[in-house]
């Protein structure tokens, strides 16, 4: 790290705070604060959907998987592309057509008020734990880059993220995601190109990688790996097509914009992994023993991405990269904090405590809630940092499989299966948690070894089994339970059946933005984001003046031109929107 890198990071923080303040000027009501008033354009929401689906964990925990094993990590991100592809075809438009402010309102309309409270008080701690994992992953990255102690880094970084979210609500979160994806994608392209050049080019890269690192055929030789691959595809489908994650489309302008947003996210997830995991695999060639570089870390392979970048990147570029990595986690955290604050305020505070609360009171309560939840995220991240025996990769996947999947099964099936009683929602969740407990206790890797007389499994195979078995047992039994409740549909009270029928009718009715009283802000969105992109693009191009080799200077020019060109395009589109 050089003084130039620190300067780039300082500029990034100031720029994000300024953007949060500017985005805050869009806020006139609680709907604006929690979902952008349902006015946002597809390119904003698509970039946000992409950014919020991953975090710095991608460049720490996931990068460690690429470093250690190679190609299997691509499965997770390509599975995201498949999930968003289904959003394009089916889910995105229906999510927007639910016409609610928070995702938990969908739960209330589809199931019942009791389910609203159950899912509210499950979503808030689950969202907090996820954000804690993301923040922990980000700070491992920052610790490796700066050489700082991990826990103070978590504390300071968490405070910065919460402050940014506090200022501008959903407008700041989504606009920030858009700017951040424009920073992240070009700078990671530069990182991949520099890493390839350092190891001697693409051909040398392929030749020097450890045997099997890119051998997809091994999937057919290992039943446990095949189980894991199939489980990941199902898991990512569930995580991108459920009533809670419908929140990513609630802020978009209409049904058509929702589909376009999903398509943008799908395309980015098809491209991104190819770029992101070249550097950590190159690190396997250049730094085969990361423990000597980072002796203080319990899982040194989680620093693979930053290690190769420290080796190959010019002065100032690491700061730009860290800004992009920071943005990946900030996008997940700020959107998650804003969503959870919205759920608390709209689905408990207003629904139960203060039905007559004014919009001003709801926005203020939302900001206070954001601060409190942000503090809880920091506490969670500090606790995760003390789990020395479980790497970030396994922590994220096992948490998602054994905790998040049972929670989301009824939220997926509830979109497709209409005739279930209200209690089908919460009962499926608690049944799923019970199944997870039994699976973990009785069907773990030790059971597999003992039952089939297998030799001791490798750590990778143990992880494959834990994730694969947990996922399929949960999905199979949870689905059977949910579908079994259809037998009680006829006993459901007539008013409840009418409410559920109304929910489905509304969900299938396309949005008429103008006819439904939508207030267009297309020009303001294009003008603001265009101005911000031009400003940041100009700053990045100016970094080419830093004394560096010509390849480093060209890297800055490339990143700046990409960001600036998008800014010009947005300004022109904004002008056309008022013609």
């Amino acid at each position: 790290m050089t003084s130039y890198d620190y300067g780039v990071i300082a500029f990034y923080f100031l720029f994000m705070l300024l953007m949060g303040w500017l985005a805050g000027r869009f806020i006139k009501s609680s709907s604006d604060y929690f979902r952008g008033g349902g006015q946002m354009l597809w390119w904003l929401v698509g970039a946000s959907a992409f950014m919020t689906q991953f975090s710095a964990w991608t460049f720490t925990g996931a990068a460690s998987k690429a470093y250690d094993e190679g190609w299997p990590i691509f499965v997770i991100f390509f599975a995201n592309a498949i999930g968003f592809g289904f959003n394009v075809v089916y889910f995105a438009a229906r999510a927007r057509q639910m016409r609610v402010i928070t995702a938990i309102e969908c739960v209330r309309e589809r199931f019942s008020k009791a389910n609203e409270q159950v899912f509210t008080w499950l979503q808030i701690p689950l969202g907090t734990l996820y954000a804690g994992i993301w923040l922990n992953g980000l700070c491992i990255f920052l610790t490796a880059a700066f050489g700082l102690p991990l826990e103070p880094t978590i504390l300071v970084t968490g405070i910065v993220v919460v402050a940014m979210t506090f200022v501008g609500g959903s407008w700041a979160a989504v606009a920030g995601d858009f700017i951040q994806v424009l920073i992240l994608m070009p700078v990671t392209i530069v990182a991949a190109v520099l890493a390839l050049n350092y190891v001697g080019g693409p051909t040398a890269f392929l030749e020097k990688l450890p045997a099997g690192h890119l051998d997809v055929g091994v999937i057919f030789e290992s039943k446990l790996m095949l189980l894991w691959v199939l489980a990941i595809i199902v898991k990512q489908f569930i995580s991108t097509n459920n009533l809670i994650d419908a929140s990513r489309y609630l802020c978009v302008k209409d049904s058509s914009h929702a589909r376009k947003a999903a398509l943008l996210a799908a395309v980015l997830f098809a491209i991104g992994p190819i770029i992101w995991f070249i550097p950590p695999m190159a690190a396997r060639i250049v730094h085969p023993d990361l423990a000597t570089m980072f002796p203080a870390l319990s899982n040194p392979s989680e620093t693979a991405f930053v290690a190769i970048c420290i080796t190959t990147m010019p002065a100032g570029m690491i700061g730009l990269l860290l800004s992009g990595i920071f943005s990946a986690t900030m996008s997940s955290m700020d959107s998650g904090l804003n969503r959870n604050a919205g759920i608390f305020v709209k689905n408990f505070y207003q629904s139960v405590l203060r039905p007559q609360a004014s919009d001003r009171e709801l926005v203020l309560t939302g900001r206070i809630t954001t601060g409190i939840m942000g503090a809880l995220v920091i506490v969670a991240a500090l606790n995760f940092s003390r789990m020395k025996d479980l790497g970030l990769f396994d922590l994220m996947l096992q948490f998602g499989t054994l905790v998040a999947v049972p929670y989301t099964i009824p939220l997926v099936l509830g979109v497709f299966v209409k005739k279930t009683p209200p209690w089908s929602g919460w009962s499926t969740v608690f049944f799923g948690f019970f199944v997870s407990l039994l699976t973990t206790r009785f069907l773990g890797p030790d059971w597999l070894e003992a039952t089939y007389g297998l030799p001791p499994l490798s750590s990778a195979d143990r992880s494959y089994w834990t994730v694969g078995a947990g996922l399929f047992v949960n999905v199979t039994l949870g689905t059977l339970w949910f579908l079994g409740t259809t037998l009680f549909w006829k006993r459901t009270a007539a008013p409840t059946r009418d409410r559920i029928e109304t929910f489905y009718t509304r969900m299938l009715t396309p949005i008429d933005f103008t006819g439904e009283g939508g207030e267009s802000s297309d020009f303001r969105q294009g003008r603001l984001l265009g101005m911000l992109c031009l400003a940041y693009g100009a700053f990045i191009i100016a970094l080419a003046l830093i004394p560096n080799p010509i390849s480093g200077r060209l890297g800055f020019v490339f990143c700046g031109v990409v960001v600036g060109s998008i800014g010009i395009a947005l300004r022109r589109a904004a002008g056309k929107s008022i013609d």
Side-chain angles (χ1 to χ4, degrees), residues 107-118:
V107 175
R108 181 183 65 207
E109 296 300 316
R110 169 58 185 86
F111 294 106
S112 68
K113 289 185 177 181
N115 279 274
E116 176 186 23
Q117 296 308 309
V118 169

Side-chain angles (χ1 to χ4, degrees), residues 74 78 192 269-279:
F74 290 90
F78 288 144
F269 266 116
I271 298 171
I274 299 172
I275 301 166
W276 299 333
F277 297 119
I278 288 175

